[in-house]
């Protein structure tokens, strides 16, 4: 951080979304600061300001060059303003050079019954456009439970106070555990934000929460590329699993790093160098469908060989890629693991999770499946 960064107000703040299963940062949440004060003060439309701050947050993150997916927030009330506001949001986010599947739009606020149809329609519209959709404030803010189904949420973000107090209060811990079970049955993820101590992180992990944020993991001045702290939980005997199909592959899905299928090898190398936790890059077409996957280890070996960079850097990365291994988000994890084992040479390559129309929703690491399904 330069002296100028210290003296000037922050344009945006950043929080890593940490996967406790791998100990890596899998997404970046960003919030833009308020606009410069006007003299005389100007009355600002809340919905317009909400969209402005979401777009400004994405632009600020674009300046940092991270390839990780971005999590940005919107108020539920903003969604009720119709297609004009959502079109402005879509246009502003598109100007950052990112595609919709590289954003997790987390919606917070109340959901009054009168606004329910408009909110549900907007959530469906965002998802059709390719955005990953999340709901925030779960467990404290009012959110009809069937809205989780209507919006096909990718992420459920707990209320920060609920997440923090679960460690010390058994009844709140039971509530979090029930929300995690609900999320797993719906095929979505739970994110616990605002965790301040290592004990809180370990406790939430024990309840089945895999994605976490908070001061316990990164300082306020954190920026993409900076280190994080991940507490190590004591190993415990796994609980007995039921005799059904077991967990769905969606429970193990992580945000994917994607690039256009026309990307050069040098562009893929830049993405891999930006974050050491990236195991693969998914090359997608204009409809966000996976066309190829670049495995980190094999790709770097090819480029590190004699004349490797000179031969490949400015040519399409697809030449060094493999056919993607897509799995539907609804299949049992054990079926995905069996599918991975059918190709001996690529048994540990990441799987690409796709939605009902074949669009990339994320990746699954085979090692996570093995750990999660081991007795």
């Amino acid at each position: 951080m330069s002296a100028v960064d210290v003296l000037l107000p922050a344009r945006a703040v950043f929080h890593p979304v940490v996967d406790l299963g791998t100990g890596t940062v899998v997404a970046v949440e960003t919030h833009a600061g308020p606009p410069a004060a006007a003299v005389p003060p100007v009355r600002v439309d809340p919905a317009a300001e909400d969209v402005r701050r979401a777009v400004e947050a994405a632009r600020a993150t674009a300046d940092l060059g991270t390839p990780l997916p971005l999590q940005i927030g919107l108020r539920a009330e903003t969604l009720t303003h119709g297609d004009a506001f959502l079109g402005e949001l879509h246009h502003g986010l598109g100007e950052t050079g990112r595609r919709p599947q590289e954003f997790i739009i987390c919606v917070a606020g109340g959901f009054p019954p009168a606004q329910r149809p408009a909110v549900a329609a907007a959530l469906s519209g965002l998802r059709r456009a390719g955005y990953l959709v999340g709901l925030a404030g779960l467990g404290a803010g009012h959110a009809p439970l069937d809205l989780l189904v209507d919006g096909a949420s990718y992420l459920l973000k707990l209320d920060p106070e609920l997440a923090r107090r679960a460690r010390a209060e058994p009844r709140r811990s039971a509530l979090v555990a029930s929300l995690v079970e609900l999320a797993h049955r719906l095929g979505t993820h739970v994110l616990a934000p605002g965790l301040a101590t290592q004990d809180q992180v370990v406790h939430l992990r024990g309840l089945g929460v895999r994605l976490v944020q908070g001061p316990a993991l990164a300082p306020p001045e954190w920026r993409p590329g900076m280190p994080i702290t991940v507490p190590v939980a004591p190993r415990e005997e796994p609980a007995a699993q039921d005799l059904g199909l077991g967990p769905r592959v969606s429970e193990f899905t992580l945000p994917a790093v994607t690039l256009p299928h026309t990307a050069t090898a040098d562009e893929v190398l830049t993405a891999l160098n930006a974050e050491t936790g990236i195991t693969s890059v998914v090359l997608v077409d204009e409809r966000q469908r996976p066309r190829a996957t670049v495995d980190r280890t094999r790709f770097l070996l090819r480029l590190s060989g004699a004349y490797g960079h000179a031969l490949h850097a400015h040519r399409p990365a697809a030449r060094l890629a493999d056919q993607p291994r897509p799995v539907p988000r609804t299949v049992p994890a054990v079926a995905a693991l069996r599918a991975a084992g059918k190709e001996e040479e690529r048994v540990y390559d990441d799987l690409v999770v796709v939605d009902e129309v074949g669009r990339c929703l994320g990746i699954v690491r085979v090692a996570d499946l093995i750990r999660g399904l081991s007795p």
Side-chain angles (χ1 to χ4, degrees):
M1 185 180 297
S2 68
V4 174
D5 292 330
V6 174
L7 294 174
L8 294 177
R11 180 182 175 190
V13 295
F14 308 93
H15 305 290
V17 176
V18 178
D19 170 33
L20 293 177
T22 61
T24 58
V25 180
V26 295
V28 177
E29 181 178 13
T30 177
H31 298 277
V39 181
V42 177
R43 185 181 181 277
V44 178
D45 176 68
E49 172 64 7
D50 198 29
V51 171
R52 183 201 69 79
R53 294 182 72 156
V55 172
E56 183 63 23
R59 289 173 178 164
T61 313
D63 294 341
L64 300 178
T66 178
L68 293 175
L70 302 185
Q71 180 184 316
I72 57 177
L74 278 182
R75 297 163 57 250
E77 292 83 351
T78 300
L79 300 184
T80 66
H81 284 67
D83 293 341
F85 277 85
L86 295 182
E88 184 179 344
L89 173 72
H90 182 70
H91 177 74
L93 296 180
E95 287 184 335
T96 67
R98 286 176 171 265
R99 293 167 299 282
Q101 77 270 19
E102 297 178 62
F103 291 99
I104 304 171
I105 299 180
C106 219
V107 180
F111 298 88
Q115 296 181 354
R116 166 64 187 275
V119 171
L123 291 174
S124 297
L126 289 171
R127 184 170 176 269
R128 283 196 303 272
Y131 293 101
L132 304 177
V133 176
L135 295 179
L138 197 69
H142 170 64
L145 292 181
D146 60 343
L147 187 63
L148 309 183
V149 179
D150 291 346
S153 299
Y154 176 81
L155 183 74
L156 302 180
K157 187 174 180 180
L158 297 175
D159 173 74
E161 185 177 4
L162 173 64
R164 286 190 295 267
R165 295 174 64 179
R167 168 68 179 82
E169 301 180 31
R171 293 173 69 87
R172 282 185 167 79
S173 181
L175 174 58
V176 171
S178 66
L179 293 173
V180 171
E181 173 65 17
L182 172 64
H184 286 173
R185 288 179 177 273
L186 293 176
T188 187
H189 297 286
V190 173
L191 170 63
L195 301 183
T197 69
Q198 293 193 2
D199 285 347
Q200 291 171 356
V201 176
V202 171
H203 182 73
L204 268 294
R205 181 176 189 170
L207 296 179
V209 175
R210 181 164 174 171
L211 302 180
V212 293
Q213 294 174 295
L217 300 119
E221 65 273 13
W222 184 87
R223 296 289 185 275
M226 293 175 64
I228 58 171
T229 302
V230 181
V232 178
R235 184 168 181 83
E236 299 178 356
E237 290 298 321
Q241 295 185 359
D242 60 36
L243 300 178
L245 294 176
R248 300 287 172 176
V249 74
S250 55
E251 294 184 29
F252 301 90
T253 304
L254 298 173
V257 173
T258 62
L259 287 173
H261 65 93
T262 55
T264 65
D266 207 33
E267 290 172 324
V268 172
L269 180 63
T270 299
L272 294 174
N273 286 337
E275 297 288 345
T276 58
I278 296 174
T279 54
S280 64
V281 174
V282 182
L283 304 179
V284 297
D285 62 16
E286 296 80 4
R287 297 184 181 180
Q288 304 163 30
R289 297 173 300 188
R291 293 279 297 272
T293 54
V294 178
D295 176 76
R296 181 188 188 95
T297 302
R298 289 197 298 274
F299 178 82
L300 294 181
L301 282 174
R302 294 285 297 273
L303 259 65
S304 63
Y307 308 109
H309 190 272
L311 287 172
H312 302 296
H314 301 295
R315 304 180 74 177
R319 297 171 61 252
L320 305 179
D322 299 289
Q323 286 293 319
R325 301 198 295 175
V327 293
R329 67 190 298 268
T330 56
V331 303
V334 67
L337 185 59
R338 288 170 181 162
K342 291 180 179 179
E343 299 181 60
E344 293 184 4
E345 295 183 357
R346 299 179 58 198
V347 67
Y348 288 107
D349 282 16
D350 294 341
L351 305 175
V352 182
V353 181
V354 295
D355 65 9
E356 62 276 8
V357 293
R359 296 179 300 191
C360 174
L361 288 177
I363 61 167
V364 167
R365 294 169 178 165
V366 174
D368 290 345
L369 294 178
I370 295 173
R371 283 193 297 266
L373 297 174
S374 297

